[in-house]
Amino acid sequence: MKINPNYKVRNVAGENIVLLQGKMGGDMTRVVAFNETALFLWNELFGKDFTTADATRLLTEHYEVDEATAAADAERWVADLREGMLLLPEE
Amino acid sequence: MEESSLYSIAGHTLCVVGTPEVTGLKTLPGFPVFRTEEGTAEWTVRFGCDVAEPEGGTVLSTFDFEGGVIHSRFVRKDDEYYYVMEPADVSVPTMVLHYAGGDHVEATRAANPTMLRFSLWMSVGMMGMASGMLLIHSSTIVHRNRAVLFLGESGTGKSTHTRLWLKNIPDAHLLNDDSPILAIEEGKPVVYGSPWSGKTHCYHPYRFPLAAAVRLSQAPHNRIRRLNILEAVAALQPSCPPALAQDSHFADGIMDILSDTIAQIPVFHLECLPDADAAHTSHDAIFGGMEN
């Protein structure tokens, strides 16, 4: 999978966010916020073709966390990206 | 030699070059009070240029205005921008603006007052971003020498709500009814009146510190709530010029300004009726703590 390169994380008033714009002039802007871990994974994996296992490995390498917890966190991170439609559609 | 004239917009000097356009602006509602004789041009819009939309550009957005009388599109090719206005009436020539960054815009002739007004709005929107200023869709009240931005989709009742302030809150004045300018100056958010005020002729060349922003929605009751940072971003962002917000370069500028704004002033969501109590509800939430 790949992160949609059209999205950009911005620091706004201290929060790390991605804006999902709705229709023109509408009220539909949604905001996805990133905590430190989610932002770390985003920065590491942006522009790369990756798997959930890659995200898990990054977490175990970077944080003091056991394999099972890291895998669960990585899965949730991927699920959140998918739900926010921040991943490129897969072929 | 084309004539030129200077306008003072949000603390910057705009030079308009083009004899028919300069003549048109002398009587175009909104512009005369911003006219200035002094200053050196910081921004230039030159009309009567030979510019055309290039082949192979990316259309960032399309939108209609004046009730579909003009179709427009905002196009990016490499790092240059083109704004094309096509009147529904095919006997009126299409107008093209070209902006390659920096402090000047080149445009074809403005065929009518609507296109002249809108081409300057778009030009200031693009050139102003680099100076930390943003045209924002808002009906704006000034109270106790501080500005309050009321935001919401067209038809939500922004103008209705600000009329209720004028009627029911002492020392309330309308600064602008459609497109004031939000700027960051010395780190602080301020609001300027502008020559663009929608259907309401309310043009004031003044600046006020920003007190708060309020997003409105219609409801069967009056209720106000302060928004957290994420909600505040989602409340303000749709009120920024949609064409610019769709572009990564301009979106960076917009978010920088919104970030500085949200970090310093409260943003509220007001669910409201069109009644006097609605005005008191927003007034009390914003200024209540400051009364003697």
Side-chain angles (χ1 to χ4, degrees):
Chain A
M1 68 194 104
K2 271 185 127 171
I3 292 169
N4 186 332
N6 293 322
Y7 290 114
K8 180 169 177 181
V9 178
R10 294 190 168 86
N11 187 293
V12 176
E15 301 272 358
N16 294 299
I17 63 162
V18 169
L19 283 176
L20 307 172
Q21 295 189 34
K23 65 176 166 60
M24 299 283 297
D27 260 343
M28 299 300 290
T29 301
R30 288 195 302 136
V31 179
V32 177
F34 287 67
N35 65 15
E36 187 208 331
T37 315
L39 182 63
F40 165 72
L41 289 177
W42 176 282
N43 288 337
E44 289 292 320
L45 295 171
F46 193 90
K48 293 176 188 154
D49 197 354
F50 65 93
T51 62
T52 308
D54 295 327
T56 305
R57 185 178 44 77
L58 281 166
L59 290 177
T60 53
E61 284 172 5
H62 194 78
Y63 295 97
E64 287 188 12
V65 62
D66 64 70
E67 181 83 22
T69 308
D73 286 353
E75 249 173 62
R76 201 171 61 225
W77 180 75
V78 168
D80 287 347
L81 291 190
R82 191 162 280 138
E83 196 197 325
M85 299 199 287
L86 296 171
L87 296 175
L88 285 177
E90 290 181 57
E91 285 139 33
Chain B
M1 175 96 183
E2 299 267 358
E3 271 182 58
S4 65
S5 59
L6 299 177
Y7 293 85
S8 180
I9 311 279
H12 294 267
T13 306
L14 166 69
C15 179
V16 176
V17 185
T19 302
E21 288 79 11
V22 164
T23 306
L25 288 172
K26 283 179 186 161
T27 54
L28 192 64
F31 285 86
V33 299
F34 292 89
R35 181 90 169 79
T36 177
E37 299 295 333
E38 291 159 26
T40 24
E42 292 165 80
W43 300 326
T44 302
V45 180
R46 184 178 292 275
F47 291 94
C49 296
D50 184 19
V51 293
E53 182 184 358
E55 299 276 324
T58 305
V59 178
L60 296 168
S61 64
T62 60
F63 55 105
D64 292 352
F65 59 95
E66 295 282 314
V69 172
I70 295 171
H71 310 297
S72 73
R73 60 181 175 273
F74 191 52
V75 176
R76 179 173 180 167
K77 174 122 195 248
D78 302 320
D79 284 333
E80 305 192 4
Y81 297 88
Y82 298 84
Y83 182 63
V84 183
M85 285 181 266
E86 278 177 344
D89 176 352
V90 292
S91 69
V92 180
T94 292
M95 183 171 185
V96 181
L97 269 63
H98 173 220
Y99 179 59
D103 55 8
H104 70 278
V105 168
E106 293 183 327
T108 57
R109 285 256 101 92
N112 60 42
T114 300
M115 289 160 94
L116 176 55
R117 173 186 297 280
F118 208 75
S119 62
L120 290 173
W121 182 87
M122 196 69 190
S123 297
V124 166
M126 292 189 291
M127 293 187 290
M129 201 67 83
S131 314
M133 52 156 276
L134 177 63
L135 289 151
I136 190 155
H137 186 208
S138 163
S139 184
T140 303
I141 282 287
V142 171
H143 179 60
R144 299 163 67 134
N145 288 315
R146 295 170 74 203
V148 181
L149 297 171
F150 289 96
L151 314 167
E153 283 183 76
S154 295
T156 316
K158 297 183 291 292
S159 297
T160 302
H161 188 74
T162 52
R163 294 300 176 283
L164 290 164
W165 270 66
L166 301 180
K167 227 168 145 182
N168 296 288
I169 310 285
D171 184 27
H173 313 274
L174 191 66
L175 178 63
N176 187 284
D177 204 25
D178 188 70
S179 197
I181 294 167
L182 170 63
I184 305 298
E185 295 184 356
E186 293 171 355
K188 303 278 183 206
V190 297
V191 181
Y192 285 88
S194 84
W196 304 279
S197 187
K199 294 187 186 76
T200 311
H201 289 221
C202 179
Y203 309 108
H204 300 294
Y206 308 129
R207 173 187 69 173
F208 296 92
L210 179 61
V214 183
R215 185 149 201 99
L216 302 179
S217 51
Q218 295 174 0
H221 51 249
N222 292 317
R223 189 180 298 153
I224 193 162
R225 183 172 71 87
R226 184 164 176 183
L227 302 178
N228 67 34
I229 286 171
L230 302 183
E231 292 169 326
V233 175
L236 287 171
Q237 200 270 347
S239 301
C240 302
L244 302 183
Q246 303 285 331
D247 175 64
S248 55
H249 162 70
F250 288 117
D252 285 347
I254 290 173
M255 293 315 296
D256 285 348
I257 295 168
L258 294 188
S259 180
D260 284 345
T261 302
I262 291 164
Q264 298 182 67
I265 62 120
V267 179
F268 297 91
H269 178 218
L270 173 67
E271 297 174 290
C272 63
L273 290 158
D275 64 7
D277 181 59
H280 289 294
T281 300
S282 55
H283 168 269
D284 292 353
I286 300 161
F287 294 98
M290 300 159 51
E291 303 288 354
N292 294 326

PDB file of all heavy atoms in Angstrom, chain B residues 80-92:
ATOM      1  N   GLU B  80       3.002  28.110 -12.374  1.00  0.00           N
ATOM      2  CA  GLU B  80       2.286  29.330 -12.734  1.00  0.00           C
ATOM      3  C   GLU B  80       0.783  29.069 -12.736  1.00  0.00           C
ATOM      4  O   GLU B  80       0.336  27.960 -12.980  1.00  0.00           O
ATOM      5  CB  GLU B  80       2.764  29.821 -14.108  1.00  0.00           C
ATOM      6  CG  GLU B  80       4.284  29.998 -14.105  1.00  0.00           C
ATOM      7  CD  GLU B  80       4.822  30.738 -15.303  1.00  0.00           C
ATOM      8  OE1 GLU B  80       4.018  31.206 -16.137  1.00  0.00           O
ATOM      9  OE2 GLU B  80       6.059  30.856 -15.395  1.00  0.00           O
ATOM     10  N   TYR B  81       0.042  30.134 -12.463  1.00  0.00           N
ATOM     11  CA  TYR B  81      -1.405  29.996 -12.296  1.00  0.00           C
ATOM     12  C   TYR B  81      -2.155  30.825 -13.341  1.00  0.00           C
ATOM     13  O   TYR B  81      -1.710  31.920 -13.713  1.00  0.00           O
ATOM     14  CB  TYR B  81      -1.828  30.469 -10.900  1.00  0.00           C
ATOM     15  CG  TYR B  81      -1.214  29.635  -9.807  1.00  0.00           C
ATOM     16  CD1 TYR B  81       0.042  29.958  -9.294  1.00  0.00           C
ATOM     17  CD2 TYR B  81      -1.855  28.507  -9.313  1.00  0.00           C
ATOM     18  CE1 TYR B  81       0.638  29.177  -8.317  1.00  0.00           C
ATOM     19  CE2 TYR B  81      -1.271  27.718  -8.334  1.00  0.00           C
ATOM     20  CZ  TYR B  81      -0.027  28.058  -7.841  1.00  0.00           C
ATOM     21  OH  TYR B  81       0.552  27.272  -6.871  1.00  0.00           O
ATOM     22  N   TYR B  82      -3.282  30.287 -13.760  1.00  0.00           N
ATOM     23  CA  TYR B  82      -4.149  30.979 -14.722  1.00  0.00           C
ATOM     24  C   TYR B  82      -5.560  30.941 -14.168  1.00  0.00           C
ATOM     25  O   TYR B  82      -6.034  29.887 -13.733  1.00  0.00           O
ATOM     26  CB  TYR B  82      -4.101  30.278 -16.090  1.00  0.00           C
ATOM     27  CG  TYR B  82      -2.718  30.304 -16.683  1.00  0.00           C
ATOM     28  CD1 TYR B  82      -1.787  29.338 -16.317  1.00  0.00           C
ATOM     29  CD2 TYR B  82      -2.335  31.313 -17.560  1.00  0.00           C
ATOM     30  CE1 TYR B  82      -0.492  29.369 -16.816  1.00  0.00           C
ATOM     31  CE2 TYR B  82      -1.042  31.355 -18.069  1.00  0.00           C
ATOM     32  CZ  TYR B  82      -0.126  30.378 -17.692  1.00  0.00           C
ATOM     33  OH  TYR B  82       1.151  30.418 -18.184  1.00  0.00           O
ATOM     34  N   TYR B  83      -6.217  32.065 -14.169  1.00  0.00           N
ATOM     35  CA  TYR B  83      -7.609  32.104 -13.752  1.00  0.00           C
ATOM     36  C   TYR B  83      -8.417  32.574 -14.949  1.00  0.00           C
ATOM     37  O   TYR B  83      -8.157  33.656 -15.493  1.00  0.00           O
ATOM     38  CB  TYR B  83      -7.777  33.038 -12.545  1.00  0.00           C
ATOM     39  CG  TYR B  83      -9.195  33.056 -12.062  1.00  0.00           C
ATOM     40  CD1 TYR B  83      -9.789  31.900 -11.568  1.00  0.00           C
ATOM     41  CD2 TYR B  83      -9.956  34.216 -12.128  1.00  0.00           C
ATOM     42  CE1 TYR B  83     -11.105  31.897 -11.152  1.00  0.00           C
ATOM     43  CE2 TYR B  83     -11.262  34.225 -11.703  1.00  0.00           C
ATOM     44  CZ  TYR B  83     -11.839  33.056 -11.218  1.00  0.00           C
ATOM     45  OH  TYR B  83     -13.138  33.064 -10.819  1.00  0.00           O
ATOM     46  N   VAL B  84      -9.363  31.748 -15.370  1.00  0.00           N
ATOM     47  CA  VAL B  84     -10.110  31.999 -16.602  1.00  0.00           C
ATOM     48  C   VAL B  84     -11.580  32.230 -16.262  1.00  0.00           C
ATOM     49  O   VAL B  84     -12.198  31.406 -15.582  1.00  0.00           O
ATOM     50  CB  VAL B  84      -9.992  30.785 -17.562  1.00  0.00           C
ATOM     51  CG1 VAL B  84     -10.713  31.075 -18.875  1.00  0.00           C
ATOM     52  CG2 VAL B  84      -8.529  30.437 -17.809  1.00  0.00           C
ATOM     53  N   MET B  85     -12.115  33.354 -16.703  1.00  0.00           N
ATOM     54  CA  MET B  85     -13.540  33.657 -16.498  1.00  0.00           C
ATOM     55  C   MET B  85     -14.245  33.634 -17.847  1.00  0.00           C
ATOM     56  O   MET B  85     -13.911  34.435 -18.732  1.00  0.00           O
ATOM     57  CB  MET B  85     -13.708  35.033 -15.865  1.00  0.00           C
ATOM     58  CG  MET B  85     -13.349  35.071 -14.392  1.00  0.00           C
ATOM     59  SD  MET B  85     -13.611  36.735 -13.691  1.00  0.00           S
ATOM     60  CE  MET B  85     -11.980  37.400 -13.887  1.00  0.00           C
ATOM     61  N   GLU B  86     -15.192  32.737 -17.978  1.00  0.00           N
ATOM     62  CA  GLU B  86     -15.948  32.618 -19.223  1.00  0.00           C
ATOM     63  C   GLU B  86     -17.396  33.014 -18.993  1.00  0.00           C
ATOM     64  O   GLU B  86     -18.135  32.295 -18.331  1.00  0.00           O
ATOM     65  CB  GLU B  86     -15.908  31.166 -19.726  1.00  0.00           C
ATOM     66  CG  GLU B  86     -14.651  30.833 -20.475  1.00  0.00           C
ATOM     67  CD  GLU B  86     -14.594  29.372 -20.909  1.00  0.00           C
ATOM     68  OE1 GLU B  86     -15.369  28.551 -20.386  1.00  0.00           O
ATOM     69  OE2 GLU B  86     -13.760  29.063 -21.768  1.00  0.00           O
ATOM     70  N   PRO B  87     -17.826  34.143 -19.542  1.00  0.00           N
ATOM     71  CA  PRO B  87     -19.224  34.545 -19.358  1.00  0.00           C
ATOM     72  C   PRO B  87     -20.164  33.589 -20.092  1.00  0.00           C
ATOM     73  O   PRO B  87     -19.819  33.073 -21.158  1.00  0.00           O
ATOM     74  CB  PRO B  87     -19.282  35.935 -20.000  1.00  0.00           C
ATOM     75  CG  PRO B  87     -17.861  36.390 -20.080  1.00  0.00           C
ATOM     76  CD  PRO B  87     -17.048  35.159 -20.253  1.00  0.00           C
ATOM     77  N   ALA B  88     -21.330  33.344 -19.477  1.00  0.00           N
ATOM     78  CA  ALA B  88     -22.329  32.489 -20.125  1.00  0.00           C
ATOM     79  C   ALA B  88     -22.766  33.143 -21.437  1.00  0.00           C
ATOM     80  O   ALA B  88     -23.067  32.464 -22.415  1.00  0.00           O
ATOM     81  CB  ALA B  88     -23.528  32.285 -19.194  1.00  0.00           C
ATOM     82  N   ASP B  89     -22.811  34.467 -21.444  1.00  0.00           N
ATOM     83  CA  ASP B  89     -23.127  35.222 -22.655  1.00  0.00           C
ATOM     84  C   ASP B  89     -21.877  35.211 -23.555  1.00  0.00           C
ATOM     85  O   ASP B  89     -20.879  35.869 -23.260  1.00  0.00           O
ATOM     86  CB  ASP B  89     -23.493  36.658 -22.244  1.00  0.00           C
ATOM     87  CG  ASP B  89     -23.751  37.556 -23.450  1.00  0.00           C
ATOM     88  OD1 ASP B  89     -23.505  37.117 -24.599  1.00  0.00           O
ATOM     89  OD2 ASP B  89     -24.196  38.702 -23.228  1.00  0.00           O
ATOM     90  N   VAL B  90     -21.943  34.434 -24.642  1.00  0.00           N
ATOM     91  CA  VAL B  90     -20.739  34.228 -25.461  1.00  0.00           C
ATOM     92  C   VAL B  90     -20.290  35.487 -26.204  1.00  0.00           C
ATOM     93  O   VAL B  90     -19.184  35.536 -26.742  1.00  0.00           O
ATOM     94  CB  VAL B  90     -20.925  33.068 -26.477  1.00  0.00           C
ATOM     95  CG1 VAL B  90     -21.030  31.748 -25.731  1.00  0.00           C
ATOM     96  CG2 VAL B  90     -22.137  33.305 -27.367  1.00  0.00           C
ATOM     97  N   SER B  91     -21.149  36.523 -26.209  1.00  0.00           N
ATOM     98  CA  SER B  91     -20.725  37.759 -26.872  1.00  0.00           C
ATOM     99  C   SER B  91     -19.753  38.561 -25.990  1.00  0.00           C
ATOM    100  O   SER B  91     -19.110  39.499 -26.453  1.00  0.00           O
ATOM    101  CB  SER B  91     -21.950  38.615 -27.224  1.00  0.00           C
ATOM    102  OG  SER B  91     -22.537  39.124 -26.043  1.00  0.00           O
ATOM    103  N   VAL B  92     -19.667  38.167 -24.698  1.00  0.00           N
ATOM    104  CA  VAL B  92     -18.716  38.842 -23.795  1.00  0.00           C
ATOM    105  C   VAL B  92     -17.406  38.052 -23.817  1.00  0.00           C
ATOM    106  O   VAL B  92     -17.414  36.838 -23.615  1.00  0.00           O
ATOM    107  CB  VAL B  92     -19.273  38.900 -22.352  1.00  0.00           C
ATOM    108  CG1 VAL B  92     -18.295  39.606 -21.428  1.00  0.00           C
ATOM    109  CG2 VAL B  92     -20.630  39.583 -22.322  1.00  0.00           C
TER     110      VAL B  92
END
